[in-house]
Amino acid sequence: MDTQLVKLTVKDSTDKYESAACLLRDGQVVGIPTETVYGLAGNAFSSDAVKRIFEAKGRPQDNPLIVHVSCFEEIYDLVSEVPENAKKLADAFWPGPLTIILPKSEKVPSCVTGGLNTVAVRCPAHPVANKLIKICGVPLAAPSANLSGKPSPTKAEHVYKDLNGRIPMVIDGGECEEGVESTVITLATPVPKLLRPGNVTLKQLKAVLGEVKVDDAVLNPLKDGERVSSPGMKYKHYSPDAKVILVRGSYEKFCSFVNKCYDDSTYSMVFKGEGKGINTKVIEYGTGEDYRQLSHFLFDSLRYLDEIKATKCYVRCPDESNDDNLAVLNRLLRAAAFKVIDLNNKMLVGLTGKTGSGKTTISNYFKDNGAFVIDGDIVARQVLSEDESLLSRLNDAFGGILASDGTLNRKKLAEKAFSSPEKTELLNSIIHPAINNTIHKQVMLGFEDYDLVIVDAAAIIESGFASECDALLVAHAPFEIRKERIISRDNLSEKDALIRMNGQKDDGFYLSKADFVINTYPPFVLSEELQKVETFINNRRQL
Ligand code: TXA
Ligand code: MG
């Protein structure tokens, strides 16, 4: 099927609307502009048309459709009862971005309402949609005109991209003014309940109705087995291909978080004017103070992520204390599959200490207690075996450190790099930035699922990473105790143990940089010391 793209304005003659109206009267489906998002319209009284809508979108059959009318009077055919509150809402907000749920009439096919005994009705303000409904002479059932699960379309080209070849026509009526779907409120409950926030805000609804409840599903994921009041709430929604992650916290925190990212396909979606301070690629989606601007650009920005083949996007979270942002928040939470990083709650803690000081025991304790632990030794080994450009730089600096198969000959590198303090310095200046980059990446991943990330690394002070941590822990034990520990742990002779220990900086170097010292030797009791660290970390977190 070829999909025709037809431009229409309200000034066009009835004749120009006829080809679309004919298709609709004939039970076909057409992409139409509304002031919220584009809809995929079909005759609401035709089960065939409704079936085609579900097919074209790939939408689950139990997710009911909104029925669009051109004026309030037309709802009498669709609903079995018109409560006073419905009239009040229509007077205040129709035509406009508000959908009202009411008990349905016999005339509405049950496929429209997904088998429910209620029906959603809305009178769109977009003049082209309004005129088209009038000319068709039938109410139009229309979900958003995206493929199921994708961000809703706010431009005709979005619809064309999703549904080209699946439907006969898309009407181009320009860019949608609102950009997020209508507010959905049900009047079929004892107290009116907001099921989906939109740009008719909660405040505005309360001003007309008095008490309005907010459905739990507006801001929360469904619990297993939970029933939803609005079936659309249970599906994955608004998702671009990129992984969307919502990030809470100040602009400063956001910058210092995303600026650790060195990945070309990662984007940040931020408020207007904020892009300058950010090192990743950036999309600005409107000023943070204006919910209508954020809504307007939201889906277009999410769709743009697919266009540029972004793999991940960190999104600045709008102010959650302002109910006017509910619509944008609700869509973003779903686009992110409820993945939220709350930077106000995150702690990045460095852990270091001399050999045998008990670092590993401490990091295991944190791992067992729900922290994400990054082991600097493992990262170093990984970087040295995988990063080819790093190997060639090392080879340029030291010469003759590669085996015949191009892999690193560690022994050779150690011989050359540890032959003098200057050479050691040179080695560090090459490998520390590469190791830090990899640790940064792991910290960002860790923060997706954990509130506490511990970086356990012997050279965390020398590499400069310690200064990025919210706190630095130093494990400490006296020389003799550490010597006994590494002799028995690594099966070393006393001589080898001493060689290893003597290469390290003195105690003062570590202790002077510590925010917290963990004494891992008697008479200190380890479990008590660990308790103290936890308390220290929790206190820091609340700062
Ligand atoms: O702005 C809009 O509302 C756009 C434009 C095209 O008008 N339409 C739209 O439709 O967003 P759709 O199908 O994508 O979303 C309709 C929402 C879904 O979450 C659905 O579950 C809910 O409304 N809904 C429809 N009928 C319902 C009913 N009887 N009871 C509860 N929820 C209902
Ligand atoms: Mg939709």
Side-chain angles (χ1 to χ4, degrees), residues 31 46 59 83 122 166 220 237 262 301 312 379 402 432 487 515 528 538:
S46 157
R59 178 174 172 122
R122 160 162 128 81
R166 290 169 165 256
N220 299 297
H237 236 123
Y262 300 90
S301 305
K312 194 178 266 189
V379 174
L402 298 182
H432 282 160
I487 286 175
D515 292 301
E528 288 172 9
N538 287 335

Short mmCIF file of all heavy atoms in Angstrom, two decimals, residues 31 46 59 83 122 166 220 237 262 301 312 379 402 432 487 515 528 538:
data_model
loop_
_atom_site.label_atom_id
_atom_site.label_comp_id
_atom_site.label_asym_id
_atom_site.label_seq_id
_atom_site.Cartn_x
_atom_site.Cartn_y
_atom_site.Cartn_z
N GLY A 31 -3.85 8.97 9.13
CA GLY A 31 -3.09 9.71 10.14
C GLY A 31 -3.56 11.16 10.15
O GLY A 31 -3.59 11.81 9.10
N SER A 46 -17.26 1.68 13.34
CA SER A 46 -16.96 0.56 12.45
C SER A 46 -15.92 -0.37 13.08
O SER A 46 -14.77 0.00 13.28
CB SER A 46 -16.43 1.09 11.11
OG SER A 46 -15.66 0.10 10.45
N ARG A 59 -0.85 -2.62 18.05
CA ARG A 59 -1.24 -2.30 19.43
C ARG A 59 -1.98 -3.46 20.08
O ARG A 59 -2.81 -4.10 19.45
CB ARG A 59 -2.15 -1.07 19.39
CG ARG A 59 -2.69 -0.61 20.74
CD ARG A 59 -3.43 0.68 20.49
NE ARG A 59 -4.17 1.19 21.62
CZ ARG A 59 -3.95 2.40 22.15
NH1 ARG A 59 -2.99 3.15 21.69
NH2 ARG A 59 -4.71 2.84 23.13
N PRO A 83 -22.68 13.19 33.26
CA PRO A 83 -22.71 13.85 34.58
C PRO A 83 -22.40 15.34 34.46
O PRO A 83 -21.80 15.78 33.48
CB PRO A 83 -21.63 13.12 35.38
CG PRO A 83 -20.78 12.42 34.38
CD PRO A 83 -21.56 12.27 33.11
N ARG A 122 -12.98 12.82 23.50
CA ARG A 122 -12.21 14.07 23.47
C ARG A 122 -12.60 14.89 22.26
O ARG A 122 -12.84 14.32 21.18
CB ARG A 122 -10.71 13.71 23.44
CG ARG A 122 -9.79 14.81 22.94
CD ARG A 122 -8.35 14.52 23.36
NE ARG A 122 -7.41 14.57 22.23
CZ ARG A 122 -6.89 15.68 21.73
NH1 ARG A 122 -7.24 16.85 22.23
NH2 ARG A 122 -6.04 15.63 20.72
N ARG A 166 1.64 1.05 5.67
CA ARG A 166 0.65 0.34 6.49
C ARG A 166 -0.72 1.01 6.44
O ARG A 166 -1.72 0.41 6.83
CB ARG A 166 1.09 0.34 7.96
CG ARG A 166 2.30 -0.53 8.23
CD ARG A 166 2.81 -0.24 9.65
NE ARG A 166 3.72 -1.27 10.08
CZ ARG A 166 3.42 -2.24 10.94
NH1 ARG A 166 2.24 -2.30 11.50
NH2 ARG A 166 4.31 -3.14 11.25
N ASN A 220 4.36 5.64 38.95
CA ASN A 220 4.99 4.43 39.47
C ASN A 220 4.84 3.27 38.51
O ASN A 220 3.83 3.16 37.82
CB ASN A 220 4.36 4.05 40.81
CG ASN A 220 4.56 5.15 41.83
OD1 ASN A 220 5.69 5.46 42.18
ND2 ASN A 220 3.47 5.77 42.26
N HIS A 237 6.51 2.15 26.80
CA HIS A 237 5.96 3.28 26.07
C HIS A 237 7.02 4.28 25.68
O HIS A 237 8.01 4.43 26.38
CB HIS A 237 4.98 3.99 27.01
CG HIS A 237 3.62 4.10 26.42
ND1 HIS A 237 2.52 3.60 27.04
CD2 HIS A 237 3.19 4.64 25.28
CE1 HIS A 237 1.46 3.85 26.30
NE2 HIS A 237 1.84 4.48 25.22
N TYR A 262 32.90 9.26 27.95
CA TYR A 262 33.69 9.54 26.75
C TYR A 262 33.17 8.75 25.56
O TYR A 262 33.91 8.28 24.75
CB TYR A 262 35.15 9.16 26.98
CG TYR A 262 35.77 9.90 28.11
CD1 TYR A 262 35.72 9.38 29.39
CD2 TYR A 262 36.39 11.12 27.90
CE1 TYR A 262 36.28 10.07 30.44
CE2 TYR A 262 36.94 11.81 28.94
CZ TYR A 262 36.89 11.29 30.21
OH TYR A 262 37.44 11.98 31.26
N SER A 301 12.41 15.17 20.48
CA SER A 301 13.78 14.92 20.93
C SER A 301 14.04 13.43 21.08
O SER A 301 15.08 12.92 20.69
CB SER A 301 14.05 15.61 22.27
OG SER A 301 13.75 16.97 22.18
N LYS A 312 22.58 5.71 24.16
CA LYS A 312 22.17 6.00 25.53
C LYS A 312 21.91 7.49 25.66
O LYS A 312 22.57 8.28 25.00
CB LYS A 312 23.29 5.60 26.47
CG LYS A 312 22.86 5.53 27.92
CD LYS A 312 23.99 5.10 28.82
CE LYS A 312 23.97 3.61 29.05
NZ LYS A 312 24.93 3.21 30.09
N VAL A 379 40.73 -3.61 36.34
CA VAL A 379 40.59 -2.63 35.25
C VAL A 379 41.94 -2.44 34.57
O VAL A 379 42.04 -2.43 33.34
CB VAL A 379 40.06 -1.28 35.77
CG1 VAL A 379 40.07 -0.23 34.67
CG2 VAL A 379 38.66 -1.44 36.34
N LEU A 402 56.54 -5.56 23.66
CA LEU A 402 55.47 -6.39 23.11
C LEU A 402 56.01 -7.77 22.78
O LEU A 402 57.14 -7.92 22.31
CB LEU A 402 54.89 -5.74 21.85
CG LEU A 402 54.23 -4.37 22.03
CD1 LEU A 402 53.66 -3.87 20.71
CD2 LEU A 402 53.13 -4.43 23.09
N HIS A 432 47.54 5.82 33.59
CA HIS A 432 46.49 6.28 34.52
C HIS A 432 45.28 6.90 33.82
O HIS A 432 44.13 6.58 34.16
CB HIS A 432 47.07 7.24 35.57
CG HIS A 432 47.81 6.52 36.66
ND1 HIS A 432 48.73 7.14 37.47
CD2 HIS A 432 47.80 5.22 37.05
CE1 HIS A 432 49.24 6.26 38.32
NE2 HIS A 432 48.69 5.09 38.08
N ILE A 487 52.89 -12.51 53.33
CA ILE A 487 53.69 -13.74 53.26
C ILE A 487 52.75 -14.94 53.25
O ILE A 487 52.88 -15.83 52.41
CB ILE A 487 54.68 -13.81 54.46
CG1 ILE A 487 55.82 -12.82 54.25
CG2 ILE A 487 55.21 -15.23 54.62
CD1 ILE A 487 56.80 -12.72 55.41
N ASP A 515 39.89 10.53 54.16
CA ASP A 515 38.75 11.11 54.86
C ASP A 515 38.36 10.21 56.03
O ASP A 515 37.72 10.63 56.97
CB ASP A 515 37.56 11.24 53.90
CG ASP A 515 37.83 12.27 52.83
OD1 ASP A 515 38.08 13.43 53.19
OD2 ASP A 515 37.85 11.90 51.63
N GLU A 528 33.47 -3.77 64.04
CA GLU A 528 33.12 -2.44 64.59
C GLU A 528 33.65 -1.32 63.68
O GLU A 528 32.99 -0.31 63.46
CB GLU A 528 33.71 -2.27 66.00
CG GLU A 528 32.99 -3.11 67.03
CD GLU A 528 33.70 -3.08 68.39
OE1 GLU A 528 34.65 -2.27 68.57
OE2 GLU A 528 33.30 -3.89 69.26
N ASN A 538 27.13 7.15 55.37
CA ASN A 538 25.74 7.61 55.41
C ASN A 538 25.65 9.07 55.82
O ASN A 538 24.82 9.82 55.28
CB ASN A 538 24.91 6.72 56.34
CG ASN A 538 24.68 5.37 55.70
OD1 ASN A 538 24.70 5.26 54.46
ND2 ASN A 538 24.49 4.34 56.51
#
